[in-house]
PDB file of all heavy atoms in Angstrom:
ATOM      1  N   LEU A  15       9.188  -0.056   0.012  1.00 98.00           N
ATOM      2  CA  LEU A  15       8.925   1.330  -0.557  1.00 98.00           C
ATOM      3  C   LEU A  15       8.229   2.383   0.368  1.00 98.00           C
ATOM      4  O   LEU A  15       8.731   3.450   0.391  1.00 98.00           O
ATOM      5  CB  LEU A  15       8.171   1.240  -1.900  1.00 98.00           C
ATOM      6  CG  LEU A  15       8.953   0.517  -3.107  1.00 98.00           C
ATOM      7  CD1 LEU A  15       7.884   0.463  -4.198  1.00 98.00           C
ATOM      8  CD2 LEU A  15      10.148   1.285  -3.379  1.00 98.00           C
ATOM      9  N   GLU A  20      12.754   8.185   0.094  1.00 96.00           N
ATOM     10  CA  GLU A  20      13.123   8.453  -1.308  1.00 96.00           C
ATOM     11  C   GLU A  20      12.737   7.376  -2.257  1.00 96.00           C
ATOM     12  O   GLU A  20      12.647   6.153  -1.758  1.00 96.00           O
ATOM     13  CB  GLU A  20      14.575   8.797  -1.371  1.00 96.00           C
ATOM     14  CG  GLU A  20      15.141   9.818  -0.454  1.00 96.00           C
ATOM     15  CD  GLU A  20      14.758  11.155  -1.016  1.00 96.00           C
ATOM     16  OE1 GLU A  20      14.645  11.344  -2.263  1.00 96.00           O
ATOM     17  OE2 GLU A  20      14.507  12.098  -0.129  1.00 96.00           O
ATOM     18  N   PRO A  21      12.552   7.662  -3.595  1.00 97.00           N
ATOM     19  CA  PRO A  21      12.256   6.537  -4.401  1.00 97.00           C
ATOM     20  C   PRO A  21      13.478   5.617  -4.452  1.00 97.00           C
ATOM     21  O   PRO A  21      14.716   6.040  -4.108  1.00 97.00           O
ATOM     22  CB  PRO A  21      12.235   7.324  -5.854  1.00 97.00           C
ATOM     23  CG  PRO A  21      11.729   8.673  -5.419  1.00 97.00           C
ATOM     24  CD  PRO A  21      12.343   8.971  -4.069  1.00 97.00           C
ATOM     25  N   ALA A  22      13.294   4.285  -4.855  1.00 97.00           N
ATOM     26  CA  ALA A  22      14.339   3.287  -4.714  1.00 97.00           C
ATOM     27  C   ALA A  22      14.452   2.629  -6.134  1.00 97.00           C
ATOM     28  O   ALA A  22      13.515   2.553  -6.945  1.00 97.00           O
ATOM     29  CB  ALA A  22      13.837   2.330  -3.788  1.00 97.00           C
ATOM     30  N   VAL A  53       0.105   1.048  -8.771  1.00 94.00           N
ATOM     31  CA  VAL A  53       0.449   1.024  -7.276  1.00 94.00           C
ATOM     32  C   VAL A  53       1.762   1.790  -7.026  1.00 94.00           C
ATOM     33  O   VAL A  53       1.892   2.385  -5.889  1.00 94.00           O
ATOM     34  CB  VAL A  53       0.514  -0.485  -6.760  1.00 94.00           C
ATOM     35  CG1 VAL A  53       0.798  -0.385  -5.224  1.00 94.00           C
ATOM     36  CG2 VAL A  53      -0.914  -1.194  -6.992  1.00 94.00           C
ATOM     37  N   VAL A  54       2.664   1.746  -7.878  1.00 97.00           N
ATOM     38  CA  VAL A  54       3.886   2.502  -7.809  1.00 97.00           C
ATOM     39  C   VAL A  54       4.122   3.309  -8.998  1.00 97.00           C
ATOM     40  O   VAL A  54       3.440   3.098 -10.030  1.00 97.00           O
ATOM     41  CB  VAL A  54       5.223   1.627  -7.633  1.00 97.00           C
ATOM     42  CG1 VAL A  54       5.064   0.773  -6.406  1.00 97.00           C
ATOM     43  CG2 VAL A  54       5.469   0.804  -8.804  1.00 97.00           C
ATOM     44  N   ARG A  55       4.746   4.413  -8.814  1.00 97.00           N
ATOM     45  CA  ARG A  55       5.202   5.316  -9.865  1.00 97.00           C
ATOM     46  C   ARG A  55       6.669   5.122 -10.221  1.00 97.00           C
ATOM     47  O   ARG A  55       7.435   4.739  -9.289  1.00 97.00           O
ATOM     48  CB  ARG A  55       4.943   6.701  -9.494  1.00 97.00           C
ATOM     49  CG  ARG A  55       3.574   7.172  -9.434  1.00 97.00           C
ATOM     50  CD  ARG A  55       3.327   8.651  -9.207  1.00 97.00           C
ATOM     51  NE  ARG A  55       1.956   8.862  -9.009  1.00 97.00           N
ATOM     52  CZ  ARG A  55       1.448   9.323  -7.879  1.00 97.00           C
ATOM     53  NH1 ARG A  55       2.199   9.601  -6.894  1.00 97.00           N
ATOM     54  NH2 ARG A  55       0.191   9.576  -7.859  1.00 97.00           N
ATOM     55  N   ARG A  56       6.940   5.125 -11.527  1.00 96.00           N
ATOM     56  CA  ARG A  56       8.438   5.091 -11.745  1.00 96.00           C
ATOM     57  C   ARG A  56       8.927   6.131 -12.657  1.00 96.00           C
ATOM     58  O   ARG A  56       8.031   6.738 -13.449  1.00 96.00           O
ATOM     59  CB  ARG A  56       8.740   3.642 -12.277  1.00 96.00           C
ATOM     60  CG  ARG A  56       8.198   3.463 -13.615  1.00 96.00           C
ATOM     61  CD  ARG A  56       8.574   2.026 -14.017  1.00 96.00           C
ATOM     62  NE  ARG A  56       8.183   1.706 -15.446  1.00 96.00           N
ATOM     63  CZ  ARG A  56       8.555   0.671 -16.088  1.00 96.00           C
ATOM     64  NH1 ARG A  56       9.193  -0.369 -15.611  1.00 96.00           N
ATOM     65  NH2 ARG A  56       8.084   0.588 -17.467  1.00 96.00           N
ATOM     66  N   LEU A  64      13.606   4.501 -11.129  1.00 97.00           N
ATOM     67  CA  LEU A  64      13.356   4.790  -9.536  1.00 97.00           C
ATOM     68  C   LEU A  64      11.865   4.604  -9.276  1.00 97.00           C
ATOM     69  O   LEU A  64      10.976   5.149  -9.993  1.00 97.00           O
ATOM     70  CB  LEU A  64      13.621   6.245  -9.219  1.00 97.00           C
ATOM     71  CG  LEU A  64      15.122   6.571  -9.362  1.00 97.00           C
ATOM     72  CD1 LEU A  64      15.430   8.100  -8.957  1.00 97.00           C
ATOM     73  CD2 LEU A  64      15.953   5.716  -8.252  1.00 97.00           C
ATOM     74  N   TYR A  65      11.544   3.852  -8.165  1.00 98.00           N
ATOM     75  CA  TYR A  65      10.176   3.448  -7.945  1.00 98.00           C
ATOM     76  C   TYR A  65       9.817   4.035  -6.511  1.00 98.00           C
ATOM     77  O   TYR A  65      10.611   4.108  -5.627  1.00 98.00           O
ATOM     78  CB  TYR A  65      10.094   1.961  -7.852  1.00 98.00           C
ATOM     79  CG  TYR A  65      10.287   1.209  -9.092  1.00 98.00           C
ATOM     80  CD1 TYR A  65      11.574   0.773  -9.477  1.00 98.00           C
ATOM     81  CD2 TYR A  65       9.155   0.901  -9.917  1.00 98.00           C
ATOM     82  CE1 TYR A  65      11.702   0.171 -10.679  1.00 98.00           C
ATOM     83  CE2 TYR A  65       9.340   0.272 -11.093  1.00 98.00           C
ATOM     84  CZ  TYR A  65      10.590  -0.034 -11.566  1.00 98.00           C
ATOM     85  OH  TYR A  65      10.835  -0.806 -12.692  1.00 98.00           O
ATOM     86  N   ALA A  66       8.519   4.529  -6.616  1.00 98.00           N
ATOM     87  CA  ALA A  66       8.047   5.215  -5.356  1.00 98.00           C
ATOM     88  C   ALA A  66       6.490   4.808  -5.226  1.00 98.00           C
ATOM     89  O   ALA A  66       5.852   4.542  -6.278  1.00 98.00           O
ATOM     90  CB  ALA A  66       8.155   6.724  -5.468  1.00 98.00           C
ATOM     91  N   PRO A  67       5.922   4.700  -4.076  1.00 97.00           N
ATOM     92  CA  PRO A  67       4.581   4.345  -3.914  1.00 97.00           C
ATOM     93  C   PRO A  67       3.668   5.385  -4.434  1.00 97.00           C
ATOM     94  O   PRO A  67       4.004   6.651  -4.331  1.00 97.00           O
ATOM     95  CB  PRO A  67       4.333   4.304  -2.347  1.00 97.00           C
ATOM     96  CG  PRO A  67       5.772   4.160  -1.827  1.00 97.00           C
ATOM     97  CD  PRO A  67       6.711   4.768  -2.774  1.00 97.00           C
ATOM     98  N   ALA A  68       2.640   4.949  -5.088  1.00 96.00           N
ATOM     99  CA  ALA A  68       1.659   5.969  -5.684  1.00 96.00           C
ATOM    100  C   ALA A  68       0.723   6.516  -4.600  1.00 96.00           C
ATOM    101  O   ALA A  68       0.233   7.702  -4.851  1.00 96.00           O
ATOM    102  CB  ALA A  68       0.778   5.311  -6.828  1.00 96.00           C
TER     103      ALA A  68
END
Side-chain angles (χ1 to χ4, degrees):
L15 293 176
E20 301 287 327
V53 178
V54 299
R55 292 191 182 109
R56 68 181 187 174
L64 291 176
Y65 294 87

